[in-house]
Amino acid sequence: MQKIQLISCDAKRPDRRAIANMIEEVSNNVDGSLASELTDILLDGDSVEIIVDDKHTSSAYRAIRKLSIDYELLD
C-alpha cells in the first residue's frame, strides 16, 4: 500500500465532485461521505493523506495529476 499526501489543488475552478469521486475510487476504506469531507479539507487549504492499494497506484497518480492536485509520497 502507498500513502499519498494530497497537498493542494491548483485548478482555477476545482471540480469538487470529480475530486471526491477520485478519492473514493482509489483510496482504501473511504466512502462517498468521507471523500466529500476530505475534498472540502483539501480545497480549504489543508493537506489530506490517503492510502492507495498497490494495484491502483498508477491510475491514482494519473487521476491526481489530471485534477491539478499537488501531492507527495509518504513512507
Side-chain angles (χ1 to χ4, degrees):
M1 287 195 247
Q2 177 67 53
K3 288 184 183 180
I4 302 173
Q5 185 169 11
L6 306 178
I7 300 169
S8 64
C9 181
D10 295 334
K12 290 182 181 180
R13 296 182 58 195
D15 185 343
R16 287 182 184 272
R17 187 180 312 144
I19 295 170
N21 287 340
M22 179 274 299
I23 291 173
E24 182 179 6
E25 289 175 12
V26 302
S27 301
N28 287 350
N29 301 321
V30 174
D31 63 5
S33 174
L34 180 56
S36 293
E37 186 176 329
L38 293 174
T39 300
D40 290 340
I41 292 168
L42 177 66
L43 295 179
D44 285 342
D46 293 322
S47 62
V48 172
E49 185 177 306
I50 60 173
I51 298 174
V52 178
D53 276 332
D54 290 334
K55 63 183 178 180
H56 295 296
T57 53
S58 62
S59 60
Y61 299 145
R62 278 193 304 273
I64 290 168
R65 285 190 296 266
K66 182 178 179 183
L67 293 168
S68 300
I69 297 173
D70 289 332
Y71 67 96
E72 65 181 31
L73 305 178
L74 304 175
D75 291 333

Short mmCIF file of all heavy atoms in Angstrom, two decimals:
data_model
loop_
_atom_site.label_atom_id
_atom_site.label_comp_id
_atom_site.label_asym_id
_atom_site.label_seq_id
_atom_site.Cartn_x
_atom_site.Cartn_y
_atom_site.Cartn_z
N MET A 1 0.84 -1.18 0.00
CA MET A 1 0.00 0.00 0.00
C MET A 1 0.88 1.24 0.00
O MET A 1 1.96 1.24 0.56
CB MET A 1 -0.91 0.02 1.21
CG MET A 1 -2.03 -0.99 1.11
SD MET A 1 -3.30 -0.67 2.31
CE MET A 1 -3.10 -2.11 3.31
N GLN A 2 0.38 2.28 -0.64
CA GLN A 2 1.13 3.53 -0.78
C GLN A 2 0.36 4.66 -0.11
O GLN A 2 -0.83 4.83 -0.37
CB GLN A 2 1.32 3.86 -2.26
CG GLN A 2 2.03 5.16 -2.52
CD GLN A 2 3.47 5.13 -2.07
OE1 GLN A 2 4.22 4.26 -2.46
NE2 GLN A 2 3.85 6.09 -1.26
N LYS A 3 1.04 5.40 0.76
CA LYS A 3 0.44 6.59 1.37
C LYS A 3 0.76 7.78 0.48
O LYS A 3 1.91 7.99 0.10
CB LYS A 3 0.99 6.84 2.76
CG LYS A 3 0.53 5.88 3.80
CD LYS A 3 1.05 6.29 5.15
CE LYS A 3 0.65 5.29 6.19
NZ LYS A 3 1.17 5.68 7.52
N ILE A 4 -0.26 8.54 0.15
CA ILE A 4 -0.10 9.73 -0.67
C ILE A 4 -0.69 10.92 0.09
O ILE A 4 -1.82 10.85 0.58
CB ILE A 4 -0.82 9.58 -2.03
CG1 ILE A 4 -0.29 8.37 -2.79
CG2 ILE A 4 -0.68 10.85 -2.85
CD1 ILE A 4 -1.05 8.06 -4.06
N GLN A 5 0.08 11.98 0.17
CA GLN A 5 -0.42 13.20 0.80
C GLN A 5 -0.82 14.17 -0.29
O GLN A 5 0.01 14.58 -1.10
CB GLN A 5 0.63 13.82 1.71
CG GLN A 5 0.10 15.02 2.45
CD GLN A 5 1.05 15.48 3.54
OE1 GLN A 5 2.18 15.04 3.61
NE2 GLN A 5 0.57 16.36 4.39
N LEU A 6 -2.10 14.49 -0.34
CA LEU A 6 -2.61 15.48 -1.27
C LEU A 6 -2.38 16.84 -0.62
O LEU A 6 -2.92 17.11 0.46
CB LEU A 6 -4.09 15.24 -1.55
CG LEU A 6 -4.45 13.83 -2.03
CD1 LEU A 6 -5.95 13.71 -2.22
CD2 LEU A 6 -3.70 13.47 -3.28
N ILE A 7 -1.58 17.68 -1.26
CA ILE A 7 -1.14 18.92 -0.64
C ILE A 7 -2.06 20.09 -0.98
O ILE A 7 -2.49 20.82 -0.10
CB ILE A 7 0.31 19.24 -1.05
CG1 ILE A 7 1.21 18.09 -0.60
CG2 ILE A 7 0.76 20.57 -0.47
CD1 ILE A 7 2.60 18.15 -1.15
N SER A 8 -2.33 20.28 -2.26
CA SER A 8 -3.18 21.39 -2.67
C SER A 8 -3.71 21.14 -4.07
O SER A 8 -3.20 20.29 -4.79
CB SER A 8 -2.40 22.71 -2.64
OG SER A 8 -1.35 22.67 -3.60
N CYS A 9 -4.72 21.92 -4.44
CA CYS A 9 -5.29 21.82 -5.78
C CYS A 9 -5.07 23.16 -6.48
O CYS A 9 -5.50 24.20 -5.99
CB CYS A 9 -6.78 21.50 -5.71
SG CYS A 9 -7.55 21.33 -7.32
N ASP A 10 -4.37 23.12 -7.62
CA ASP A 10 -4.02 24.34 -8.34
C ASP A 10 -5.00 24.70 -9.46
O ASP A 10 -4.77 25.67 -10.17
CB ASP A 10 -2.63 24.21 -8.95
CG ASP A 10 -1.55 24.11 -7.87
OD1 ASP A 10 -1.78 24.59 -6.75
OD2 ASP A 10 -0.49 23.53 -8.16
N ALA A 11 -6.07 23.93 -9.60
CA ALA A 11 -7.03 24.21 -10.67
C ALA A 11 -7.72 25.55 -10.42
O ALA A 11 -8.01 25.90 -9.27
CB ALA A 11 -8.06 23.09 -10.76
N LYS A 12 -7.98 26.28 -11.49
CA LYS A 12 -8.66 27.57 -11.35
C LYS A 12 -10.07 27.38 -10.81
O LYS A 12 -10.54 28.14 -9.98
CB LYS A 12 -8.71 28.30 -12.69
CG LYS A 12 -7.36 28.79 -13.14
CD LYS A 12 -7.46 29.54 -14.43
CE LYS A 12 -6.08 30.00 -14.88
NZ LYS A 12 -6.12 30.74 -16.13
N ARG A 13 -10.75 26.36 -11.33
CA ARG A 13 -12.11 26.03 -10.87
C ARG A 13 -12.15 24.54 -10.54
O ARG A 13 -12.56 23.73 -11.36
CB ARG A 13 -13.13 26.36 -11.94
CG ARG A 13 -13.17 27.87 -12.25
CD ARG A 13 -14.20 28.21 -13.26
NE ARG A 13 -15.52 27.78 -12.79
CZ ARG A 13 -16.59 27.68 -13.57
NH1 ARG A 13 -16.50 27.98 -14.84
NH2 ARG A 13 -17.73 27.30 -13.08
N PRO A 14 -11.72 24.17 -9.32
CA PRO A 14 -11.65 22.75 -8.97
C PRO A 14 -13.03 22.09 -9.00
O PRO A 14 -14.02 22.68 -8.57
CB PRO A 14 -11.07 22.74 -7.57
CG PRO A 14 -11.08 24.13 -7.08
CD PRO A 14 -11.30 25.03 -8.24
N ASP A 15 -13.08 20.89 -9.53
CA ASP A 15 -14.31 20.12 -9.63
C ASP A 15 -14.44 19.25 -8.38
O ASP A 15 -13.84 18.18 -8.29
CB ASP A 15 -14.27 19.26 -10.90
CG ASP A 15 -15.56 18.52 -11.15
OD1 ASP A 15 -16.39 18.39 -10.22
OD2 ASP A 15 -15.74 18.06 -12.29
N ARG A 16 -15.21 19.73 -7.41
CA ARG A 16 -15.35 19.03 -6.13
C ARG A 16 -15.84 17.60 -6.32
O ARG A 16 -15.35 16.68 -5.67
CB ARG A 16 -16.32 19.76 -5.21
CG ARG A 16 -15.78 21.04 -4.63
CD ARG A 16 -16.79 21.69 -3.70
NE ARG A 16 -16.31 22.96 -3.21
CZ ARG A 16 -15.57 23.10 -2.12
NH1 ARG A 16 -15.24 22.04 -1.43
NH2 ARG A 16 -15.14 24.28 -1.74
N ARG A 17 -16.81 17.42 -7.18
CA ARG A 17 -17.37 16.09 -7.39
C ARG A 17 -16.34 15.15 -7.98
O ARG A 17 -16.21 14.00 -7.54
CB ARG A 17 -18.60 16.15 -8.28
CG ARG A 17 -19.30 14.81 -8.38
CD ARG A 17 -20.53 14.83 -9.27
NE ARG A 17 -21.40 15.95 -8.97
CZ ARG A 17 -22.09 16.62 -9.87
NH1 ARG A 17 -22.04 16.27 -11.14
NH2 ARG A 17 -22.87 17.62 -9.53
N ALA A 18 -15.56 15.62 -8.95
CA ALA A 18 -14.54 14.78 -9.57
C ALA A 18 -13.44 14.41 -8.57
O ALA A 18 -12.96 13.28 -8.55
CB ALA A 18 -13.93 15.48 -10.78
N ILE A 19 -13.05 15.37 -7.72
CA ILE A 19 -12.02 15.10 -6.72
C ILE A 19 -12.54 14.08 -5.71
O ILE A 19 -11.86 13.11 -5.36
CB ILE A 19 -11.57 16.40 -6.02
CG1 ILE A 19 -10.87 17.31 -7.04
CG2 ILE A 19 -10.65 16.09 -4.85
CD1 ILE A 19 -10.59 18.72 -6.52
N ALA A 20 -13.76 14.27 -5.23
CA ALA A 20 -14.35 13.33 -4.26
C ALA A 20 -14.48 11.94 -4.87
O ALA A 20 -14.17 10.94 -4.20
CB ALA A 20 -15.70 13.84 -3.79
N ASN A 21 -14.91 11.86 -6.12
CA ASN A 21 -15.03 10.55 -6.78
C ASN A 21 -13.67 9.88 -6.90
O ASN A 21 -13.55 8.67 -6.70
CB ASN A 21 -15.67 10.69 -8.16
CG ASN A 21 -17.15 10.98 -8.09
OD1 ASN A 21 -17.79 10.73 -7.07
ND2 ASN A 21 -17.69 11.53 -9.15
N MET A 22 -12.64 10.64 -7.26
CA MET A 22 -11.30 10.09 -7.38
C MET A 22 -10.82 9.56 -6.04
O MET A 22 -10.31 8.44 -5.96
CB MET A 22 -10.34 11.16 -7.91
CG MET A 22 -8.90 10.72 -8.07
SD MET A 22 -7.86 10.83 -6.61
CE MET A 22 -7.90 12.57 -6.23
N ILE A 23 -11.01 10.32 -4.97
CA ILE A 23 -10.59 9.88 -3.64
C ILE A 23 -11.32 8.60 -3.25
O ILE A 23 -10.71 7.65 -2.75
CB ILE A 23 -10.80 11.00 -2.60
CG1 ILE A 23 -9.82 12.15 -2.86
CG2 ILE A 23 -10.62 10.46 -1.18
CD1 ILE A 23 -10.06 13.38 -1.99
N GLU A 24 -12.60 8.56 -3.50
CA GLU A 24 -13.40 7.38 -3.16
C GLU A 24 -12.95 6.15 -3.95
O GLU A 24 -12.85 5.05 -3.40
CB GLU A 24 -14.88 7.65 -3.40
CG GLU A 24 -15.78 6.49 -3.02
CD GLU A 24 -17.24 6.79 -3.24
OE1 GLU A 24 -17.58 7.86 -3.79
OE2 GLU A 24 -18.06 5.94 -2.85
N GLU A 25 -12.66 6.33 -5.23
CA GLU A 25 -12.30 5.21 -6.09
C GLU A 25 -10.91 4.64 -5.79
O GLU A 25 -10.72 3.43 -5.83
CB GLU A 25 -12.37 5.62 -7.55
CG GLU A 25 -13.78 5.83 -8.04
CD GLU A 25 -13.83 6.36 -9.47
OE1 GLU A 25 -12.80 6.36 -10.15
OE2 GLU A 25 -14.93 6.78 -9.88
N VAL A 26 -9.93 5.49 -5.52
CA VAL A 26 -8.56 5.00 -5.39
C VAL A 26 -8.14 4.70 -3.95
O VAL A 26 -7.17 4.00 -3.73
CB VAL A 26 -7.53 5.95 -6.04
CG1 VAL A 26 -7.83 6.14 -7.50
CG2 VAL A 26 -7.43 7.27 -5.32
N SER A 27 -8.86 5.23 -2.96
CA SER A 27 -8.46 5.09 -1.56
C SER A 27 -9.06 3.84 -0.93
O SER A 27 -10.15 3.40 -1.30
CB SER A 27 -8.92 6.29 -0.75
OG SER A 27 -8.38 7.46 -1.26
N ASN A 28 -8.34 3.34 0.06
CA ASN A 28 -8.85 2.22 0.85
C ASN A 28 -9.79 2.74 1.92
O ASN A 28 -9.50 3.74 2.58
CB ASN A 28 -7.70 1.49 1.55
CG ASN A 28 -6.87 0.69 0.60
OD1 ASN A 28 -7.23 0.50 -0.55
ND2 ASN A 28 -5.75 0.21 1.08
N ASN A 29 -10.92 2.06 2.11
CA ASN A 29 -11.84 2.34 3.21
C ASN A 29 -12.34 3.78 3.24
O ASN A 29 -12.49 4.37 4.31
CB ASN A 29 -11.21 1.98 4.56
CG ASN A 29 -10.82 0.53 4.65
OD1 ASN A 29 -11.53 -0.33 4.16
ND2 ASN A 29 -9.68 0.26 5.25
N VAL A 30 -12.59 4.36 2.08
CA VAL A 30 -13.15 5.71 2.02
C VAL A 30 -14.47 5.64 1.27
O VAL A 30 -14.51 5.19 0.12
CB VAL A 30 -12.18 6.69 1.32
CG1 VAL A 30 -12.83 8.05 1.14
CG2 VAL A 30 -10.89 6.82 2.11
N ASP A 31 -15.55 6.06 1.93
CA ASP A 31 -16.86 6.08 1.27
C ASP A 31 -17.13 7.48 0.72
O ASP A 31 -16.31 8.39 0.87
CB ASP A 31 -17.96 5.64 2.23
CG ASP A 31 -18.12 6.55 3.44
OD1 ASP A 31 -17.45 7.61 3.50
OD2 ASP A 31 -18.92 6.22 4.32
N GLY A 32 -18.25 7.65 0.09
CA GLY A 32 -18.58 8.92 -0.55
C GLY A 32 -18.63 10.10 0.41
O GLY A 32 -18.18 11.20 0.09
N SER A 33 -19.16 9.87 1.60
CA SER A 33 -19.27 10.93 2.59
C SER A 33 -17.89 11.39 3.06
O SER A 33 -17.61 12.59 3.12
CB SER A 33 -20.10 10.43 3.78
OG SER A 33 -20.11 11.37 4.81
N LEU A 34 -17.04 10.45 3.38
CA LEU A 34 -15.68 10.79 3.82
C LEU A 34 -14.89 11.43 2.68
O LEU A 34 -14.14 12.38 2.89
CB LEU A 34 -14.95 9.56 4.35
CG LEU A 34 -13.53 9.77 4.84
CD1 LEU A 34 -13.47 10.84 5.91
CD2 LEU A 34 -12.95 8.46 5.36
N ALA A 35 -15.07 10.94 1.47
CA ALA A 35 -14.38 11.51 0.31
C ALA A 35 -14.78 12.98 0.12
O ALA A 35 -13.93 13.82 -0.17
CB ALA A 35 -14.69 10.71 -0.95
N SER A 36 -16.05 13.29 0.29
CA SER A 36 -16.52 14.68 0.18
C SER A 36 -15.91 15.55 1.27
O SER A 36 -15.51 16.68 1.02
CB SER A 36 -18.04 14.75 0.27
OG SER A 36 -18.61 14.12 -0.85
N GLU A 37 -15.83 15.00 2.48
CA GLU A 37 -15.24 15.74 3.59
C GLU A 37 -13.75 15.99 3.34
O GLU A 37 -13.26 17.11 3.56
CB GLU A 37 -15.43 14.95 4.88
CG GLU A 37 -14.98 15.69 6.11
CD GLU A 37 -15.26 14.91 7.38
OE1 GLU A 37 -16.26 14.15 7.42
OE2 GLU A 37 -14.48 15.07 8.34
N LEU A 38 -13.03 14.98 2.86
CA LEU A 38 -11.61 15.14 2.55
C LEU A 38 -11.40 16.15 1.43
O LEU A 38 -10.45 16.93 1.45
CB LEU A 38 -10.99 13.79 2.19
CG LEU A 38 -10.91 12.76 3.31
CD1 LEU A 38 -10.41 11.41 2.78
CD2 LEU A 38 -10.04 13.25 4.45
N THR A 39 -12.30 16.16 0.46
CA THR A 39 -12.23 17.13 -0.63
C THR A 39 -12.38 18.55 -0.10
O THR A 39 -11.62 19.44 -0.48
CB THR A 39 -13.31 16.83 -1.69
OG1 THR A 39 -13.10 15.52 -2.21
CG2 THR A 39 -13.27 17.85 -2.81
N ASP A 40 -13.34 18.75 0.79
CA ASP A 40 -13.53 20.08 1.39
C ASP A 40 -12.29 20.52 2.15
O ASP A 40 -11.87 21.68 2.06
CB ASP A 40 -14.75 20.08 2.32
CG ASP A 40 -16.06 19.96 1.56
OD1 ASP A 40 -16.08 20.25 0.34
OD2 ASP A 40 -17.07 19.58 2.18
N ILE A 41 -11.69 19.60 2.90
CA ILE A 41 -10.48 19.92 3.65
C ILE A 41 -9.36 20.32 2.70
O ILE A 41 -8.67 21.32 2.91
CB ILE A 41 -10.06 18.72 4.52
CG1 ILE A 41 -11.08 18.49 5.64
CG2 ILE A 41 -8.66 18.92 5.10
CD1 ILE A 41 -10.92 17.18 6.38
N LEU A 42 -9.18 19.55 1.63
CA LEU A 42 -8.14 19.84 0.65
C LEU A 42 -8.35 21.20 0.00
O LEU A 42 -7.43 22.01 -0.11
CB LEU A 42 -8.10 18.74 -0.42
CG LEU A 42 -7.11 18.94 -1.56
CD1 LEU A 42 -5.67 18.87 -1.05
CD2 LEU A 42 -7.33 17.91 -2.64
N LEU A 43 -9.57 21.49 -0.41
CA LEU A 43 -9.85 22.75 -1.10
C LEU A 43 -9.85 23.95 -0.16
O LEU A 43 -9.72 25.08 -0.61
CB LEU A 43 -11.16 22.65 -1.87
CG LEU A 43 -11.15 21.63 -3.02
CD1 LEU A 43 -12.51 21.58 -3.71
CD2 LEU A 43 -10.05 21.93 -4.01
N ASP A 44 -9.95 23.70 1.15
CA ASP A 44 -9.83 24.77 2.13
C ASP A 44 -8.37 25.10 2.44
O ASP A 44 -8.09 26.02 3.20
CB ASP A 44 -10.56 24.41 3.43
CG ASP A 44 -12.06 24.53 3.30
OD1 ASP A 44 -12.54 25.19 2.35
OD2 ASP A 44 -12.78 23.95 4.14
N GLY A 45 -7.44 24.33 1.87
CA GLY A 45 -6.02 24.65 2.01
C GLY A 45 -5.21 23.72 2.90
O GLY A 45 -4.02 23.94 3.07
N ASP A 46 -5.83 22.70 3.47
CA ASP A 46 -5.10 21.76 4.31
C ASP A 46 -4.78 20.50 3.51
O ASP A 46 -5.53 20.13 2.60
CB ASP A 46 -5.91 21.38 5.55
CG ASP A 46 -6.10 22.55 6.50
OD1 ASP A 46 -5.15 23.34 6.65
OD2 ASP A 46 -7.19 22.68 7.08
N SER A 47 -3.70 19.83 3.87
CA SER A 47 -3.33 18.61 3.17
C SER A 47 -4.15 17.43 3.69
O SER A 47 -4.67 17.46 4.80
CB SER A 47 -1.84 18.33 3.32
OG SER A 47 -1.52 18.13 4.67
N VAL A 48 -4.26 16.40 2.86
CA VAL A 48 -5.05 15.22 3.16
C VAL A 48 -4.20 14.00 2.82
O VAL A 48 -3.55 13.97 1.77
CB VAL A 48 -6.35 15.20 2.32
CG1 VAL A 48 -7.08 13.89 2.46
CG2 VAL A 48 -7.24 16.37 2.69
N GLU A 49 -4.22 13.01 3.69
CA GLU A 49 -3.46 11.78 3.44
C GLU A 49 -4.43 10.66 3.06
O GLU A 49 -5.44 10.46 3.74
CB GLU A 49 -2.70 11.39 4.71
CG GLU A 49 -1.79 10.20 4.53
CD GLU A 49 -1.01 9.91 5.79
OE1 GLU A 49 -0.34 10.82 6.30
OE2 GLU A 49 -1.10 8.76 6.26
N ILE A 50 -4.12 9.96 1.98
CA ILE A 50 -4.92 8.81 1.56
C ILE A 50 -3.99 7.61 1.42
O ILE A 50 -2.80 7.75 1.22
CB ILE A 50 -5.69 9.07 0.25
CG1 ILE A 50 -4.74 9.38 -0.92
CG2 ILE A 50 -6.72 10.18 0.44
CD1 ILE A 50 -5.44 9.47 -2.26
N ILE A 51 -4.58 6.42 1.52
CA ILE A 51 -3.83 5.18 1.33
C ILE A 51 -4.41 4.48 0.11
O ILE A 51 -5.62 4.30 0.00
CB ILE A 51 -3.94 4.27 2.57
CG1 ILE A 51 -3.34 4.98 3.78
CG2 ILE A 51 -3.25 2.94 2.32
CD1 ILE A 51 -3.51 4.24 5.08
N VAL A 52 -3.50 4.12 -0.82
CA VAL A 52 -3.91 3.54 -2.09
C VAL A 52 -3.34 2.13 -2.20
O VAL A 52 -2.17 1.90 -1.88
CB VAL A 52 -3.40 4.42 -3.26
CG1 VAL A 52 -3.77 3.81 -4.60
CG2 VAL A 52 -3.94 5.83 -3.14
N ASP A 53 -4.15 1.18 -2.65
CA ASP A 53 -3.66 -0.18 -2.91
C ASP A 53 -2.61 -0.15 -4.00
O ASP A 53 -2.68 0.68 -4.91
CB ASP A 53 -4.81 -1.08 -3.40
CG ASP A 53 -5.61 -1.67 -2.26
OD1 ASP A 53 -5.06 -1.85 -1.17
OD2 ASP A 53 -6.80 -1.94 -2.48
N ASP A 54 -1.67 -1.05 -3.93
CA ASP A 54 -0.60 -1.12 -4.92
C ASP A 54 -1.15 -1.28 -6.35
O ASP A 54 -0.60 -0.74 -7.28
CB ASP A 54 0.36 -2.26 -4.61
CG ASP A 54 1.20 -1.97 -3.37
OD1 ASP A 54 1.41 -0.78 -3.06
OD2 ASP A 54 1.64 -2.92 -2.71
N LYS A 55 -2.26 -1.99 -6.48
CA LYS A 55 -2.82 -2.21 -7.82
C LYS A 55 -3.47 -0.96 -8.41
O LYS A 55 -3.73 -0.90 -9.60
CB LYS A 55 -3.80 -3.37 -7.81
CG LYS A 55 -5.02 -3.15 -6.95
CD LYS A 55 -5.91 -4.37 -6.93
CE LYS A 55 -7.10 -4.14 -6.03
NZ LYS A 55 -7.97 -5.30 -5.99
N HIS A 56 -3.71 0.06 -7.57
CA HIS A 56 -4.36 1.29 -8.04
C HIS A 56 -3.41 2.49 -8.11
O HIS A 56 -3.84 3.59 -8.45
CB HIS A 56 -5.53 1.67 -7.13
CG HIS A 56 -6.65 0.70 -7.14
ND1 HIS A 56 -7.42 0.45 -8.25
CD2 HIS A 56 -7.15 -0.08 -6.15
CE1 HIS A 56 -8.33 -0.45 -7.95
NE2 HIS A 56 -8.19 -0.79 -6.68
N THR A 57 -2.14 2.31 -7.79
CA THR A 57 -1.26 3.47 -7.66
C THR A 57 -1.07 4.22 -8.97
O THR A 57 -1.14 5.46 -8.98
CB THR A 57 0.13 3.09 -7.09
OG1 THR A 57 0.67 2.04 -7.87
CG2 THR A 57 0.03 2.69 -5.64
N SER A 58 -0.83 3.53 -10.07
CA SER A 58 -0.60 4.25 -11.33
C SER A 58 -1.85 5.02 -11.78
O SER A 58 -1.74 6.16 -12.23
CB SER A 58 -0.11 3.31 -12.43
OG SER A 58 -1.09 2.33 -12.71
N SER A 59 -3.02 4.42 -11.63
CA SER A 59 -4.24 5.13 -12.01
C SER A 59 -4.51 6.28 -11.03
O SER A 59 -5.03 7.33 -11.42
CB SER A 59 -5.43 4.19 -12.07
OG SER A 59 -5.67 3.57 -10.83
N ALA A 60 -4.14 6.11 -9.76
CA ALA A 60 -4.31 7.19 -8.79
C ALA A 60 -3.43 8.38 -9.14
O ALA A 60 -3.89 9.53 -9.12
CB ALA A 60 -3.97 6.69 -7.38
N TYR A 61 -2.16 8.13 -9.51
CA TYR A 61 -1.27 9.22 -9.90
C TYR A 61 -1.80 9.98 -11.11
O TYR A 61 -1.78 11.21 -11.14
CB TYR A 61 0.15 8.71 -10.21
CG TYR A 61 0.84 8.05 -9.06
CD1 TYR A 61 1.69 6.98 -9.28
CD2 TYR A 61 0.66 8.47 -7.74
CE1 TYR A 61 2.35 6.36 -8.22
CE2 TYR A 61 1.30 7.85 -6.69
CZ TYR A 61 2.14 6.79 -6.94
OH TYR A 61 2.79 6.18 -5.90
N ARG A 62 -2.28 9.26 -12.10
CA ARG A 62 -2.85 9.90 -13.29
C ARG A 62 -4.04 10.77 -12.93
O ARG A 62 -4.17 11.91 -13.38
CB ARG A 62 -3.25 8.85 -14.33
CG ARG A 62 -2.13 8.35 -15.18
CD ARG A 62 -2.63 7.55 -16.37
NE ARG A 62 -3.49 6.44 -16.01
CZ ARG A 62 -3.05 5.21 -15.68
NH1 ARG A 62 -1.77 4.96 -15.66
NH2 ARG A 62 -3.90 4.27 -15.37
N ALA A 63 -4.95 10.23 -12.13
CA ALA A 63 -6.16 10.96 -11.74
C ALA A 63 -5.81 12.21 -10.92
O ALA A 63 -6.39 13.27 -11.12
CB ALA A 63 -7.09 10.06 -10.95
N ILE A 64 -4.85 12.07 -10.03
CA ILE A 64 -4.43 13.20 -9.20
C ILE A 64 -3.84 14.32 -10.06
O ILE A 64 -4.19 15.49 -9.91
CB ILE A 64 -3.43 12.73 -8.12
CG1 ILE A 64 -4.14 11.86 -7.08
CG2 ILE A 64 -2.75 13.93 -7.45
CD1 ILE A 64 -3.21 11.11 -6.15
N ARG A 65 -2.96 13.95 -10.99
CA ARG A 65 -2.37 14.96 -11.87
C ARG A 65 -3.41 15.59 -12.78
O ARG A 65 -3.38 16.80 -13.03
CB ARG A 65 -1.24 14.34 -12.69
CG ARG A 65 0.02 14.10 -11.87
CD ARG A 65 1.19 13.72 -12.75
NE ARG A 65 1.01 12.46 -13.45
CZ ARG A 65 1.43 11.29 -13.01
NH1 ARG A 65 2.08 11.19 -11.87
NH2 ARG A 65 1.22 10.20 -13.71
N LYS A 66 -4.35 14.80 -13.27
CA LYS A 66 -5.39 15.32 -14.16
C LYS A 66 -6.25 16.37 -13.46
O LYS A 66 -6.70 17.33 -14.09
CB LYS A 66 -6.28 14.16 -14.64
CG LYS A 66 -7.35 14.57 -15.60
CD LYS A 66 -8.15 13.38 -16.07
CE LYS A 66 -9.25 13.81 -17.01
NZ LYS A 66 -10.09 12.68 -17.42
N LEU A 67 -6.43 16.21 -12.16
CA LEU A 67 -7.24 17.15 -11.38
C LEU A 67 -6.42 18.33 -10.83
O LEU A 67 -6.90 19.10 -10.03
CB LEU A 67 -7.93 16.42 -10.23
CG LEU A 67 -9.00 15.41 -10.67
CD1 LEU A 67 -9.41 14.53 -9.51
CD2 LEU A 67 -10.20 16.13 -11.28
N SER A 68 -5.16 18.44 -11.27
CA SER A 68 -4.24 19.54 -10.86
C SER A 68 -4.01 19.57 -9.35
O SER A 68 -4.02 20.63 -8.73
CB SER A 68 -4.77 20.90 -11.33
OG SER A 68 -4.88 20.92 -12.72
N ILE A 69 -3.81 18.39 -8.77
CA ILE A 69 -3.57 18.29 -7.35
C ILE A 69 -2.09 18.01 -7.13
O ILE A 69 -1.51 17.11 -7.74
CB ILE A 69 -4.42 17.15 -6.72
CG1 ILE A 69 -5.91 17.46 -6.87
CG2 ILE A 69 -4.04 16.95 -5.25
CD1 ILE A 69 -6.82 16.35 -6.45
N ASP A 70 -1.46 18.83 -6.28
CA ASP A 70 -0.07 18.60 -5.89
C ASP A 70 -0.06 17.52 -4.81
O ASP A 70 -0.90 17.54 -3.91
CB ASP A 70 0.56 19.87 -5.32
CG ASP A 70 0.80 20.93 -6.38
OD1 ASP A 70 1.00 20.56 -7.56
OD2 ASP A 70 0.76 22.12 -6.04
N TYR A 71 0.91 16.62 -4.90
CA TYR A 71 0.96 15.52 -3.94
C TYR A 71 2.40 15.14 -3.67
O TYR A 71 3.32 15.54 -4.38
CB TYR A 71 0.19 14.31 -4.48
CG TYR A 71 0.84 13.66 -5.69
CD1 TYR A 71 1.67 12.56 -5.53
CD2 TYR A 71 0.61 14.14 -6.97
CE1 TYR A 71 2.27 11.97 -6.64
CE2 TYR A 71 1.20 13.56 -8.07
CZ TYR A 71 2.04 12.47 -7.90
OH TYR A 71 2.62 11.88 -8.99
N GLU A 72 2.57 14.35 -2.60
CA GLU A 72 3.87 13.76 -2.33
C GLU A 72 3.64 12.37 -1.76
O GLU A 72 2.59 12.09 -1.16
CB GLU A 72 4.72 14.62 -1.39
CG GLU A 72 4.18 14.77 0.00
CD GLU A 72 5.07 15.67 0.87
OE1 GLU A 72 5.71 16.59 0.33
OE2 GLU A 72 5.10 15.44 2.07
N LEU A 73 4.63 11.52 -1.98
CA LEU A 73 4.55 10.14 -1.50
C LEU A 73 5.10 10.08 -0.09
O LEU A 73 6.13 10.71 0.22
CB LEU A 73 5.35 9.21 -2.41
CG LEU A 73 4.97 9.26 -3.89
CD1 LEU A 73 5.86 8.33 -4.67
CD2 LEU A 73 3.52 8.92 -4.09
N LEU A 74 4.46 9.33 0.78
CA LEU A 74 4.89 9.17 2.15
C LEU A 74 5.34 7.73 2.37
O LEU A 74 4.91 6.82 1.67
CB LEU A 74 3.76 9.51 3.12
CG LEU A 74 3.13 10.88 2.98
CD1 LEU A 74 1.94 11.01 3.91
CD2 LEU A 74 4.16 11.96 3.28
N ASP A 75 6.18 7.53 3.37
CA ASP A 75 6.65 6.17 3.70
C ASP A 75 5.57 5.38 4.39
O ASP A 75 4.74 5.82 5.04
CB ASP A 75 7.89 6.22 4.59
CG ASP A 75 9.10 6.77 3.82
OD1 ASP A 75 9.13 6.61 2.60
OD2 ASP A 75 9.98 7.32 4.49
#
